[in-house]
Amino acid sequence: MHIAVIGGGVVGVTTAWELNRRGHQVTVLERHGQAGNETSKANAAQRSYGVVYPWADSAMVMRAIPWLLKQDGPLKMSLPPSLDTLRFMFSTLRYAWSPGLYGLNKRAMLRLGMHSRERFMELEQQVDLEFDGNHRGLLHLASTPEALENYRQTQKLLNELGIASRLLTPEQVREAEPGMTGNGPLYGALSYDTDGTGDCHLFSRALAKACEDNGVNFRYNTETTHLMADDQRVTRIAIRDAAGSTQVLDVDAVVVCAGCWSNSLTQPLNLKLPIYPVKGYSLTVPLKDPNRAPVSTVHDDNFKVVATRLGDRLRATGFVEMADFNRDIPEARLATIRKSVESRFPGCADLMAAETWTGFRPMTPDGPAIIGRGPRDNLFLNTGHGTFGWTLSAGSADVIAQLIDGEPTAICLDPFRPGRFRE
Ligand SMILES: Cc1cc2nc3c(=O)[nH]c(=O)nc-3n(C[C@H](O)[C@H](O)[C@H](O)COP(=O)(O)OP(=O)(O)OC[C@H]3O[C@@H](n4cnc5c(N)ncnc54)[C@H](O)[C@@H]3O)c2cc1C
């Protein structure tokens, strides 16, 4: 089959890899000049298979309200909020208070996380990619006794699903992360021993190159303007290149992997995807003193900032901001991220010299990504991965390829089905 994958972020590229391996002819349509240039560019770099969860959680909502009011709190919202922001927030609240839904969705996401870990392991055997990746685990620090107690509760579910984790004392945390000499409060940590890291942008570009070597056609600087369909099938795709020339492509099937921009492609076919762009920020900087830097990934629950070691660089990431597609990077946000890193890993890098970035998490209001068949027989979706698209990319690419080939899927896709959203 000739399959078009729309979007060359990490999700589109891994999808193209899986489809090509199965013998399909694949064309990736990406409006930027290279792979992974939007949300997949400078994210927190965690492959956090054991830490995937829906934000539509009543307990989290109650914790989040005070964050909005705190000056350097992790949650921000543009004022006045836009209609899209309000719609997303109210929808999230409704899902958060739907009885039983959070537990079902969290288990489904963790199952996809575990499958994704397996698929990453296989993929890294199949192809040698340079992306500063490893599986040295991930630490969630507890800066209060309550946080430690929450981790104890979290462990019950992890144990139930067979996901390796350990509660660490402050001494054990410092043993695992000897560079953590700062004076930030510390009561212990939850260690996810089998989780990993890696530069998602380097990975996307390297895998795209490997796909091209195997015959995948990448059409960069090419925007998909719309899908042309009859009642049953998408028959053709309308595209436009950077010079403005338009063309129509014949396809046998389509996979939409267009992240925050997916809805504009599906809505004309009567499938509304309520994906909202939740903004975050990152700093990336060469290490000044590697001995003072994180060994792997450390999540500082005090500021909700993640510090990740990527080879000889540090990546620090934070904030959940509802500001639609505003790409400004205010100094106050960067200052908070720097403050968090200095309170844990003082002197590891010259943070003022860091490269800065902002990107948009393609969030669904209930939490799980959108993976499944769309409103036409040959239209598929692998999008809306929110905070966890890097982590879940290898697993979701595998299950969408199974679905396209008519095979049973490795995990149940019901919680991810495209048509589940209520108006
Ligand atoms: C601050 C921050 C930190 C994060 N940290 C982590 C983390 O630690 N771990 C993790 O797992 N995830 C993390 N994420 C989330 C993760 O980055 C995303 O879920 C993931 O990158 C989404 O990948 P994607 O391929 O779906 O989307 P994108 O990377 O946005 O790719 C979509 C692509 O589609 C293209 N496109 C869209 N519309 C069209 C069109 N009409 N025609 C052609 N091309 C089109 C876009 O140009 C884009 O390249 C983080 C996100 C942010 C913002």
Side-chain angles (χ1 to χ4, degrees):
M1 271 204 287
H2 177 209
I3 305 179
V5 173
I6 303 175
V10 70
V11 173
V13 176
T14 46
T15 299
W17 173 260
E18 286 300 335
L19 292 171
N20 173 262
R21 264 180 10 97
R22 288 164 166 265
H24 296 294
Q25 182 197 340
V26 182
T27 300
V28 178
L29 302 163
E30 168 54 53
R31 62 180 180 195
H32 285 298
Q34 59 174 209
N37 247 24
E38 275 291 349
T39 314
S40 304
K41 188 156 187 186
N43 64 24
Q46 308 170 86
R47 287 184 287 170
S48 57
Y49 318 107
V51 198
V52 288
Y53 53 87
W55 286 5
D57 166 15
S58 54
M60 173 133 107
V61 171
M62 297 316 285
R63 278 201 300 274
I65 292 168
W67 296 343
L68 255 183
L69 308 172
K70 216 174 133 197
Q71 204 192 352
D72 55 8
L75 180 60
K76 300 283 171 206
M77 183 167 61
S78 277
L79 293 175
S82 69
L83 258 183
D84 284 345
T85 303
L86 288 173
R87 218 176 273 130
F88 173 76
M89 282 176 53
F90 284 123
S91 190
T92 299
L93 291 177
R94 208 172 41 184
Y95 285 114
W97 267 276
S98 297
L101 188 66
Y102 170 78
L104 283 177
N105 284 343
K106 178 159 180 170
R107 280 176 172 75
M109 291 172 76
L110 282 167
R111 286 197 183 97
L112 183 56
M114 288 189 284
H115 184 58
S116 205
R117 185 174 192 283
E118 269 173 39
R119 297 306 300 177
F120 265 117
M121 294 298 183
E122 280 175 41
L123 196 154
E124 288 177 49
Q125 295 287 319
Q126 290 156 5
V127 56
D128 190 16
L129 304 173
E130 299 267 319
F131 64 103
D132 288 332
N134 65 56
H135 281 102
R136 288 201 204 113
L138 194 153
L139 279 186
H140 273 219
L141 304 183
S143 60
T144 60
E146 296 75 44
L148 198 60
E149 185 46 40
N150 280 341
Y151 295 159
R152 235 183 274 283
Q153 299 304 321
T154 304
Q155 259 199 319
K156 289 184 188 157
L157 177 60
L158 297 175
N159 292 342
E160 177 197 314
L161 295 176
I163 298 171
S165 69
R166 281 177 305 141
L167 271 181
L168 304 186
T169 62
E171 293 70 35
Q172 288 170 317
V173 174
R174 294 213 162 85
E175 223 168 274
E177 286 288 349
M180 215 175 89
T181 56
N183 58 6
L186 185 64
Y187 286 81
L190 185 55
S191 172
Y192 296 84
D193 296 333
T194 54
D195 282 4
T197 52
D199 185 321
C200 182
H201 191 217
L202 289 183
F203 176 90
S204 304
R205 279 163 44 197
L207 189 63
K209 166 80 177 53
C211 284
E212 280 185 300
D213 292 345
N214 288 353
V216 174
N217 179 17
F218 274 76
R219 296 187 66 162
Y220 290 115
N221 301 306
T222 300
E223 183 178 12
T224 302
T225 56
H226 59 280
L227 307 178
M228 301 158 91
D230 58 28
D231 286 348
Q232 261 162 11
R233 299 178 65 78
V234 174
T235 48
R236 293 185 298 168
I237 297 184
I239 59 174
R240 180 170 52 211
D241 68 19
S245 306
T246 55
Q247 204 190 328
V248 163
L249 284 187
D250 287 320
V251 288
D252 298 312
V254 179
V255 193
V256 174
C257 301
C260 289
W261 300 270
S262 301
N263 183 55
S264 63
L265 296 168
T266 63
Q267 193 165 5
L269 303 182
N270 286 329
L271 177 66
K272 194 158 181 235
L273 301 176
I275 297 174
Y276 182 85
V278 177
K279 192 179 181 186
Y281 303 87
S282 74
L283 302 175
T284 308
V285 60
L287 291 175
K288 197 166 72 186
D289 184 348
N291 294 325
R292 290 171 162 264
V295 172
S296 188
T297 289
V298 176
H299 178 270
D300 177 5
D301 72 317
N302 199 18
F303 291 98
K304 313 281 178 232
V305 165
V306 176
T308 299
R309 173 78 160 263
L310 290 172
D312 55 7
R313 297 170 297 151
L314 173 85
R315 165 87 41 84
T317 313
F319 287 101
V320 165
E321 183 160 334
M322 282 169 280
D324 300 311
F325 283 104
N326 178 331
R327 290 192 194 254
D328 293 348
I329 303 183
E331 167 54 28
R333 306 284 186 276
L334 304 178
T336 303
I337 296 175
R338 289 194 293 262
K339 191 159 129 190
S340 166
V341 175
E342 281 297 328
S343 76
R344 300 295 182 187
F345 298 97
C348 70
D350 178 3
L351 298 174
M352 292 306 288
E355 213 174 292
T356 61
W357 174 81
T358 185
F360 306 108
R361 302 169 182 91
M363 289 295 298
T364 60
D366 58 346
I370 301 164
I371 307 169
R373 197 186 297 271
R376 299 294 188 279
D377 292 348
N378 61 346
L379 173 59
F380 297 87
L381 295 111
N382 186 6
T383 186
H385 282 274
T387 299
F388 306 111
W390 170 214
T391 303
L392 299 177
S393 57
S396 66
D398 183 49
V399 292
I400 200 72
Q402 289 170 332
L403 194 68
I404 291 170
D405 280 348
E407 296 170 9
T409 52
I411 60 155
C412 168
L413 288 183
D414 200 43
F416 303 92
R417 69 195 182 282
R420 68 185 187 268
F421 301 102
R422 303 173 232 154
E423 269 307 309

